[in-house]
Amino acid sequence: MGRGFFLALEGIDGSGKSTQARLLAVSLLQQGREVVLTREPSDGELGQKLRRYLQGPSRNLSPGEELDLFLADRREHVERVIKPGLAAGRIVITDRYYYSTMAYQGALGLDPGEILAANETFAPRPDLVFLLILPVSQALARLQRPRQLSELAPYLERVAAIFDILEGPQIQKVDARATSQALHTALLAATLTALGKVPSSRFQVPS
Ligand code: TYD
């Protein structure tokens, strides 16, 4: 079995990445490709604990303690979901990955470069990252659920500022002000282009 294709969607809360991750997964499945759609915090035990913490009344952990929890969840997610999916030749789409840790825990004062280095000791680098860029005011206007502390404007502005400076050959920044359907069309096209560049020995489309 070849290695599959690893795609991450990133952006601030309300940027539309969860919707786009779902739409991409559906379109690729409709093309007959094997897809794993996953997310972070993960659906594992630690991920669920993190979600409860993030939705709770206070953020009482230190930035370093938060970082340790996100890293532990990611280790488990990589072993349980991401690596097996890739080993089976699937397209693994994750809604958030370590760029979120760089931006969100970086916005709490930790060094994004050190966060990246810690992740790269165990977490596979995505083949493609869509970084959805949307002004914080517009992103907050889109959010309908009860606010998490991570969704307060000053914090999100710092998160967005770190996302803005991320660069790399695999990172594609996308203007997320477009309609959901227009954005989807663009992301699907870019994904298919990237898939076309992957050596066929590494990626298999089921017949
Ligand atoms: P989110 O994608 O908003 O999930 P939901 O739609 O279920 O609320 O993720 C929850 C929060 O987790 C989000 O505000 C960003 C935060 N987060 C971090 O702070 N660090 C991380 O490493 C990750 C993956 C997420």
Side-chain angles (χ1 to χ4, degrees), residues 13 51 54 70 74 96 101 104-105 145 148 150:
D13 300 75
R51 278 178 197 281
L54 291 165
F70 281 108
R74 184 159 304 120
R96 294 197 185 281
T101 324
Y104 282 83
Q105 278 59 56
R145 64 191 161 190
Q148 298 175 177
S150 55

Side-chain angles (χ1 to χ4, degrees), residues 34 72-73 79 84 139 143 170 190 193 200:
E34 289 193 49
D73 178 43
E79 292 307 319
L143 290 174
Q170 75 282 17
T193 301
S200 55

Side-chain angles (χ1 to χ4, degrees), residues 14-192:
S15 61
K17 67 194 164 33
S18 303
T19 304
Q20 293 302 323
R22 255 194 323 272
L23 290 173
L24 270 179
V26 168
S27 290
L28 293 166
L29 279 168
Q30 281 170 348
Q31 293 191 356
R33 299 177 188 264
E34 289 193 49
V35 178
V36 176
L37 175 61
T38 187
R39 63 178 184 167
E40 291 192 357
S42 79
D43 293 324
E45 218 168 282
L46 279 171
Q48 291 177 33
K49 186 174 159 192
L50 266 168
R51 278 178 197 281
R52 283 195 299 275
Y53 164 70
L54 291 165
Q55 284 159 10
S58 71
R59 244 165 121 155
N60 54 347
L61 298 177
S62 71
E65 287 168 337
E66 274 191 22
L67 174 64
D68 288 346
L69 274 178
F70 281 108
L71 288 176
D73 178 43
R74 184 159 304 120
R75 273 181 202 281
E76 194 271 332
H77 187 217
V78 163
E79 292 307 319
R80 181 174 52 88
V81 178
I82 297 175
K83 279 189 178 166
L86 294 174
R90 302 202 164 101
I91 300 173
V92 176
I93 303 176
T94 186
D95 174 356
R96 294 197 185 281
Y97 197 44
Y98 56 62
Y99 307 92
S100 280
T101 324
M102 294 170 73
Y104 282 83
Q105 278 59 56
L108 297 175
L110 301 180
D111 180 343
E114 285 176 18
I115 294 174
L116 176 64
N119 276 280
E120 289 197 321
T121 61
F122 69 91
R125 185 179 297 176
D127 296 294
L128 181 60
V129 181
F130 290 130
L131 180 43
L132 272 56
I133 306 284
L134 190 70
V136 167
S137 56
Q138 287 186 37
L140 287 177
R142 284 183 182 180
L143 290 174
Q144 283 164 358
R145 64 191 161 190
R147 295 277 181 273
Q148 298 175 177
L149 291 178
S150 55
E151 293 166 357
L152 296 178
Y155 178 57
L156 271 193
E157 291 286 2
R158 294 200 300 277
V159 172
I162 297 174
F163 274 137
D164 275 349
I165 56 172
L166 296 184
E167 277 186 355
Q170 75 282 17
I171 299 179
Q172 293 192 21
K173 292 185 183 162
V174 187
D175 184 346
R177 288 173 301 180
T179 63
S180 180
Q181 194 50 48
L183 198 53
H184 172 57
T185 303
L187 296 189
L188 180 60
T191 302
L192 294 175

